[in-house]
């Protein structure tokens, strides 16, 4: 009798856990938007921090660092090895995180029960290859000088930190898409079934919200990038040109987030 | 004749290089102070970023993560492995950088000729053990909540980034001390010879400058930690309490920097 009672209690507890896990009740369209706004601060901080260093081109030169048993640049090595360590410590167990490297080692630490808000196919949406390309070819040259100060390891670490922040923001598109889908599944389902990318993109685009994001990010670059002094704030001189930071959002971060949203939705009914 | 001329040219060039290397003409008391001010921004950004996460105590629990072939916590693993990678990529060749771990691997990349401004004994001044202790026991609990969100790898990475920024600032005391020494060697030399720590501390302390630093850091925490919105800035609500950030400087960062200055000066005439 006692044993049976205990068994029921245990089952009830595990049901509640499963329910909580499946429901993912931390995520709402409102909470997702709040997280995106907070992530802007992280991205702006990281852009400002990367701009402490010049380009430091040897960091990316395959021929500069000939690392034993490794083919790639100093940056490649830092990226590969750092993601490796963080994977072992469970970073990518959180569905909000997406790695740049493939074939990372499994986590060596107990798995934390992260809320499972997304459809299981979410894990297969990863556009970090595109993000990496765009970052080095388009974004980075806009906000660093072309000089060389020898701090290559610090530069690569700073790049990685910014790349992780940008990747997290862009792949947060999965959470945005899921929240939007949950709010009006009947609008999305026919377009998903028809694989109509163009109409999906139209349906999830709110131009007025995007305009606000771009303007707010520019303001954040002004506020966080100013020279703070006790006598007077030095206005009009910023660590990174605020127009460039807003351009990062307008030209790449927002469009790539929407690409993730569409990619996610296309697999939402699988 | 031609060969002899070339030889002289080569010798002249290498002399100039050596001179530049030895002189370390990038560093002046003014440039050192400017760097310290810029480093405040980095520290404030990193405090704000660490505060995104709660304490996440399993990160520091030796018993939580039982990592094969490694004795220590999840944080210890991230610290040890990340410094290992960065050492291989040459981070600690720069005299401005000081590692937390001992016995790190040698750099695998070509050595950049960093300006050698400091006395050669500088490398033996490293108080990171004290910084680490003070960070986890005194500083960190002041600005994080006691909760747990499962992001242990991210938390450890964030701690490391902040610890590196704090260590860099505190060990910059070597550059401060060298600049001050160069300005008035006759004031310092007798005290160094007498190993008179107390008088050295008194000589290098400028209370009015310290007061300004503490106030400016508080203002930076207000500016960088505010919630930036397009309509209105939310005044009086900060991501991290500015009074706590200034306390980090007043109680630990400034005193530890001065400890480094004294330690450095004591070895300055070796």
């Amino acid at each position: 009798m006692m044993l049976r009672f205990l068994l029921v209690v245990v089952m009830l507890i595990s049901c509640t856990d499963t329910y909580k896990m499946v429901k993912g009740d931390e995520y709402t369209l409102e909470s997702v938007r709040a997280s995106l706004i907070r992530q802007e601060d992280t991205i702006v901080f990281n852009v400002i921090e990367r701009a402490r260093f010049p380009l430091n081109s040897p960091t990316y030169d395959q021929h500069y660092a000939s690392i034993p048993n490794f083919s790639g640049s100093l940056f490649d090595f830092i990226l590969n090895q750092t993601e490796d360590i963080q994977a072992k410590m469970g970073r990518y167990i959180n569905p909000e995180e997406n790695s740049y490297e493939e074939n990372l080692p499994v986590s060596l630490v107990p798995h934390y029960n992260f809320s499972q808000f997304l459809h299981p196919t979410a894990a297969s949406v990863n556009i970090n290859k595109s993000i990496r390309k765009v970052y080095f070819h388009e974004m980075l040259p806009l906000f660093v000088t072309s000089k060389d100060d020898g701090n290559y390891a610090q530069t690569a670490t700073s790049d990685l930190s910014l790349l992780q922040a940008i990747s997290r923001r862009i792949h947060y598109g999965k959470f945005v898409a899921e929240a939007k889908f949950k709010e009006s599944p009947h609008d999305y389902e026919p377009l998903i079934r028809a694989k109509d990318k163009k109409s999906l993109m139209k349906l999830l685009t709110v131009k007025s919200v995007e305009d606000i994001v771009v303007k707010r990010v520019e303001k954040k670059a002004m506020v966080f990038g100013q020279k703070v002094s006790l006598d007077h704030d030095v206005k009009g001189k910023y660590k990174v040109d605020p127009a460039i930071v807003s351009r990062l959002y307008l030209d790449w971060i927002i469009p790539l987030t929407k690409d993730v949203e569409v990619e996610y939705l296309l697999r939402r009914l699988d």
Side-chain angles (χ1 to χ4, degrees), chain A:
Chain A
M1 182 63 192
M2 187 60 190
L3 190 71
R4 211 163 159 183
F5 172 69
L6 272 173
L7 207 71
V8 169
V9 169
V10 167
M11 280 174 70
L12 272 173
I13 290 171
S14 52
C15 277
T16 320
D17 266 348
T18 312
Y19 174 70
K20 200 193 153 216
M21 232 182 76
V22 172
K23 200 181 164 215
D25 47 8
E26 292 94 292
Y27 295 101
T28 60
L29 194 49
E30 200 187 359
S31 79
V32 165
R33 285 202 174 126
S35 172
L36 288 175
I37 292 173
R38 177 61 189 83
Q39 288 181 54
E40 289 163 11
D41 298 29
T42 299
I43 291 175
V44 175
F45 289 159
N46 274 288
V47 169
I48 291 171
E49 285 299 283
R50 175 58 185 85
R52 280 190 300 148
F53 303 106
L55 179 61
N56 279 338
S57 60
T59 312
Y60 317 108
D61 182 351
Q62 303 261 353
H63 305 292
Y64 174 75
S66 21
I67 305 159
N69 307 315
F70 185 83
S71 147
S73 68
L74 195 155
F75 170 79
D76 293 330
F77 186 79
I78 294 259
L79 169 72
N80 175 284
Q81 300 287 300
T82 308
E83 281 202 337
D84 195 284
I85 296 164
Q86 296 183 0
K88 285 177 184 160
M89 296 301 102
R91 181 180 186 120
Y92 303 103
I93 303 300
N94 185 340
E96 295 181 9
E97 301 284 349
N98 300 267
S99 68
Y100 281 86
E101 293 285 326
E102 288 162 17
N103 307 316
L104 284 172
V106 293
S107 167
L108 301 175
V109 299
H111 285 203
Y112 185 87
N113 253 354
F114 287 102
S115 171
Q116 299 299 323
F117 176 69
L118 302 177
H119 187 267
T121 52
S124 66
V125 179
N126 182 326
I127 64 161
N128 275 335
K129 261 191 194 144
S130 309
I131 295 174
R132 186 188 161 143
K133 201 179 283 174
V134 152
Y135 175 78
F136 285 114
H137 291 98
E138 314 280 347
M139 301 167 87
L140 181 62
L142 295 177
F143 61 88
V144 293
T145 64
S146 58
K147 292 178 193 158
D148 185 332
D149 70 3
N151 289 307
Y152 311 137
Q154 295 91 313
T155 298
T157 304
S158 188
D159 281 320
L160 176 55
S161 180
L162 175 51
L163 276 165
Q164 285 178 327
I166 292 173
S167 167
R168 193 161 178 275
R169 197 283 179 195
I170 289 173
H171 288 98
Y172 220 76
K174 299 177 195 177
F175 294 84
V176 178
E178 179 63 25
K180 286 180 180 169
F181 178 86
K182 280 218 171 80
E183 280 209 336
S184 44
H186 301 303
D187 294 339
Y188 284 98
E189 277 174 13
L191 302 178
I192 295 170
R193 287 191 211 287
K195 297 192 195 341
D196 185 348
K197 282 191 187 197
K198 216 173 149 183
S199 303
L200 279 172
M201 187 61 93
K202 210 173 150 189
L203 183 58
L204 54 78
T205 298
V206 190
K207 189 69 178 61
S208 60
V209 172
E210 291 179 14
D211 291 346
I212 290 172
V213 171
V214 171
K215 274 190 201 138
R216 187 176 52 230
V217 165
E218 182 162 15
K219 188 171 172 190
K220 286 182 177 180
M222 287 179 184
V223 172
F224 303 149
Q226 69 185 293
K227 200 176 159 188
V228 177
S229 153
L230 280 180
D231 334 314
H232 57 287
D233 294 344
V234 188
K235 297 268 176 207
K237 230 188 152 278
Y238 306 107
K239 294 189 198 88
V240 174
D241 181 355
I244 285 173
V245 180
S246 68
R247 196 181 150 198
L248 301 183
Y249 262 77
L250 183 67
D251 286 357
W252 300 291
I253 297 176
I254 292 174
L256 287 169
T257 304
K258 294 201 296 180
D259 286 348
V260 166
E261 292 183 46
V262 170
E263 283 307 308
Y264 174 81
L265 287 170
L266 287 173
R267 300 172 206 198
R268 180 58 181 77
L269 304 175
D270 287 2

